[in-house]
Amino acid sequence: MNCEVIKNGQLMPAELTRQIREKYHHVDTDPFTGKKRLFFDNSGGSFRLKGASDAFKQVDDLPNCGGHGGAASDYLDSLRTQACQDISTMFNAEGGCIATSMTASIVLFDVSEAIIANVPGTNVVTTELEHPSAFDGCAIPAEKYGKELRVAKTNPKTGTIDPEDVIRLIDQDTCLLSVIMTSNITGAVLDIETIAREARKIKPDLYIVCDSVQHTPHGLTDMKAWGLDCVNFAPYKFGGARGLGVGWLSERVMNLPHRKLIREKQSNWEMGGCAPGMYAMLSAIFDYVCWIGSQFADTEDRRTLYVEGMTRIMLHERALLYRLLHGSDEVKGLLDIEGVKVAVDMEDLTKRDLIVPIVFDKLSCEEAARAYEKNGVVVHERTDASLYSARQVNSINQHGIVRISPLHCHTYEDIDEFLKITAEMAK
């Protein structure tokens, strides 16, 4: 693959894209009105994979429970074992444990408090770009246990956190670094590998956790290379169902005191367990990415297939992002449409996922989102009226943005249609 492809992306073959679109529900049509529409709000909750939905329902119909003996019970136990293997392979992680809860936010909240409560140190470091579940998950226990909360500032021009701005806050008394992988507001992909490496030069045994909810559907995570202590994943952002959050925890996090039954094994971070169908759903998502990878790589190794599949997803989405920003000979991109501004600098697309924040000269964010809806486009406004986005949008010197978040099943034709609608709205 040449450098230009890596920089600007590469669409998957048209026939493969057609097959991919067939694997999702409601790609082209609003299920309530029956009308054609563009769903560009996948950061809020992505298209659902038919295979993931089917896998969940088939298992959820069973009345049996794992651990109760018999063929059906043993089958349910095997689903959990397979799902844990798949999640570990997804993150390229070894050892430790998989934790599930109702949401990925709960997983990160619980892990952050366990570290802050039990690991010596006088301060906690995080960033302005964090989702509230990560930011408040640090702020609340930091106050509870009398530790200073240090917050790295967003670069308002680029919408990212510069590694050096994180590193300068870390010292020998830092007990936890919590940093997001991809901003759900700006689309910036933080340089986690550099941040982790440089942070551990200052404190080799520093605990580092990452909110990877927005990044996991768009790119790769490598726990072996990065040496993180926790990452989380929300399946509903990647073709799965709501009601499940997943985290991988390193062995040293796993062994910290945490909420559990008295006689429960140390590796169990779950109170009860999730619906067994959720495990089938997780493996269906993993299998889907491996299926994409199998179209390009002849191997049975599941990590290799997953990496290949995610690489193709990433390159396809980068090509869509380039088209969204720069347009084509037939249609202007967002950077060239009068009356519209991309809220942050997106020059290096290798440091971006397919999330674009825009503002209009003549429309408020709320007005723009409703206008898109009338034109058959689903997007979402993120404003400082919401507790879920106030800190992040203010950190890029905005009161709000319209968030555009397509998915890898979209095409150039979808992007061009969106750009034409945007140009009309901006007049």
Side-chain angles (χ1 to χ4, degrees), residues 8-12 24 42 214-219 237-238 310-324 349 352-355 405-410 412 415:
N8 296 331
Q10 183 179 56
L11 291 183
M12 286 186 261
Y24 285 96
N42 289 280
Q214 285 294 344
H215 183 65
T216 303
H218 305 290
K237 304 279 190 180
F238 199 4
M310 284 309 306
T311 298
R312 298 296 172 167
I313 286 172
M314 176 185 65
L315 290 171
H316 184 90
E317 291 189 346
R318 191 173 296 158
L320 296 181
L321 178 56
Y322 187 88
R323 183 83 160 211
L324 190 59
L349 301 190
R352 299 283 161 181
D353 281 336
L354 188 51
I355 300 169
S405 53
L407 202 62
H408 63 272
C409 59
H410 283 118
Y412 276 169
I415 298 298

Side-chain angles (χ1 to χ4, degrees), residues 111-125:
V111 167
S112 296
E113 174 150 13
I115 294 170
I116 293 169
N118 294 289
V119 175
T122 60
N123 68 78
V124 176
V125 175

Side-chain angles (χ1 to χ4, degrees), residues 194-387:
T194 296
I195 290 172
R197 182 183 65 247
E198 296 303 312
R200 291 221 170 94
K201 287 180 181 178
I202 299 170
K203 186 174 184 181
D205 62 348
L206 178 64
Y207 282 74
I208 304 176
V209 304
C210 282
D211 176 358
S212 61
V213 167
Q214 285 294 344
H215 183 65
T216 303
H218 305 290
L220 290 162
T221 300
D222 192 335
M223 303 301 282
K224 288 182 184 177
W226 302 351
L228 308 179
D229 288 290
C230 175
V231 289
N232 62 346
F233 168 47
Y236 81 95
K237 304 279 190 180
F238 199 4
R242 294 182 185 274
L244 177 68
V246 183
W248 177 85
L249 284 58
S250 69
E251 186 171 348
R252 62 181 188 158
V253 169
M254 178 184 80
N255 286 316
L256 290 173
H258 60 274
R259 180 182 59 181
K260 71 177 185 67
L261 300 179
I262 294 172
R263 296 182 64 184
E264 185 57 86
K265 57 182 179 288
Q266 187 68 22
S267 61
N268 193 325
W269 279 63
E270 301 164 336
M271 295 299 291
C274 69
M278 292 293 193
Y279 295 124
M281 174 201 68
L282 285 169
S283 290
I285 295 169
F286 188 86
D287 288 344
Y288 163 73
V289 178
C290 289
W291 169 76
I292 293 176
S294 72
Q295 311 304 305
F296 300 92
D298 184 14
T299 179
E300 296 296 320
D301 181 75
R302 283 170 70 77
R303 173 63 185 178
T304 301
L305 287 173
Y306 185 81
V307 169
E308 185 66 31
M310 284 309 306
T311 298
R312 298 296 172 167
I313 286 172
M314 176 185 65
L315 290 171
H316 184 90
E317 291 189 346
R318 191 173 296 158
L320 296 181
L321 178 56
Y322 187 88
R323 183 83 160 211
L324 190 59
L325 295 171
H326 297 281
S328 65
D329 292 340
E330 290 75 36
V331 60
K332 288 183 178 180
L334 291 173
L335 293 174
D336 297 314
I337 296 175
E338 288 189 24
V340 177
K341 178 187 175 184
V342 177
V344 294
D345 179 12
M346 290 196 167
E347 184 175 346
D348 185 354
L349 301 190
T350 65
K351 297 178 181 179
R352 299 283 161 181
D353 281 336
L354 188 51
I355 300 169
V356 180
I358 64 173
V359 292
F360 285 80
D361 290 348
K362 299 178 181 179
L363 297 170
S364 70
C365 296
E366 295 87 348
E367 290 170 338
R370 302 295 80 77
Y372 274 122
E373 187 175 350
K374 290 179 181 178
N375 282 280
V377 181
V378 180
V379 295
H380 185 52
E381 72 274 16
R382 303 308 311 237
T383 75
D384 56 12
S386 168
L387 65 89

Side-chain angles (χ1 to χ4, degrees), residues 21-54:
R21 290 167 73 87
E22 280 295 316
K23 290 183 180 292
Y24 285 96
H25 288 290
H26 310 306
V27 172
D28 291 318
T29 306
D30 188 307
F32 291 96
T33 66
K35 295 180 180 179
K36 188 178 185 302
R37 62 102 169 88
L38 291 173
F39 188 83
F40 279 16
D41 189 23
N42 289 280
S43 287
S46 75
F47 289 124
R48 298 298 190 258
L49 278 166
K50 294 175 183 177
S53 297
D54 291 345

Side-chain angles (χ1 to χ4, degrees), residues 55-269:
F56 174 80
K57 185 181 187 310
Q58 289 168 8
V59 174
D60 202 51
D61 285 344
L62 299 174
N64 306 74
C65 294
H68 285 209
S73 178
D74 291 347
Y75 168 66
L76 297 181
D77 287 338
S78 74
L79 293 177
R80 187 186 192 283
T81 298
Q82 183 62 56
C84 288
Q85 289 176 358
D86 290 339
I87 294 299
S88 294
T89 304
M90 175 186 291
F91 291 131
N92 201 28
E94 288 184 349
C97 70
I98 301 297
T100 63
S101 191
M102 184 189 301
T103 67
S105 296
I106 294 172
V107 173
L108 201 61
F109 230 86
D110 287 349
V111 167
S112 296
E113 174 150 13
I115 294 170
I116 293 169
N118 294 289
V119 175
T122 60
N123 68 78
V124 176
V125 175
T126 189
T127 84
E128 281 189 322
L129 275 186
E130 304 302 305
H131 185 277
S133 63
F135 189 91
D136 294 3
C138 287
I140 293 170
E143 181 177 7
K144 179 178 178 180
Y145 295 102
K147 300 186 180 184
E148 177 190 4
L149 183 68
R150 299 176 177 177
V151 183
K153 301 295 184 182
T154 307
N155 182 326
K157 179 182 178 183
T158 62
T160 192
I161 306 288
D162 299 323
E164 56 269 24
D165 290 334
V166 177
I167 301 307
R168 67 167 57 100
L169 299 179
I170 295 167
D171 57 32
Q172 289 294 321
D173 292 317
T174 304
C175 67
L176 170 65
L177 168 60
S178 177
V179 59
I180 199 166
M181 284 193 183
T182 291
S183 168
N184 67 322
I185 301 295
T186 71
V189 180
L190 275 62
D191 187 352
I192 300 298
E193 185 172 10
T194 296
I195 290 172
R197 182 183 65 247
E198 296 303 312
R200 291 221 170 94
K201 287 180 181 178
I202 299 170
K203 186 174 184 181
D205 62 348
L206 178 64
Y207 282 74
I208 304 176
V209 304
C210 282
D211 176 358
S212 61
V213 167
Q214 285 294 344
H215 183 65
T216 303
H218 305 290
L220 290 162
T221 300
D222 192 335
M223 303 301 282
K224 288 182 184 177
W226 302 351
L228 308 179
D229 288 290
C230 175
V231 289
N232 62 346
F233 168 47
Y236 81 95
K237 304 279 190 180
F238 199 4
R242 294 182 185 274
L244 177 68
V246 183
W248 177 85
L249 284 58
S250 69
E251 186 171 348
R252 62 181 188 158
V253 169
M254 178 184 80
N255 286 316
L256 290 173
H258 60 274
R259 180 182 59 181
K260 71 177 185 67
L261 300 179
I262 294 172
R263 296 182 64 184
E264 185 57 86
K265 57 182 179 288
Q266 187 68 22
S267 61
N268 193 325
W269 279 63

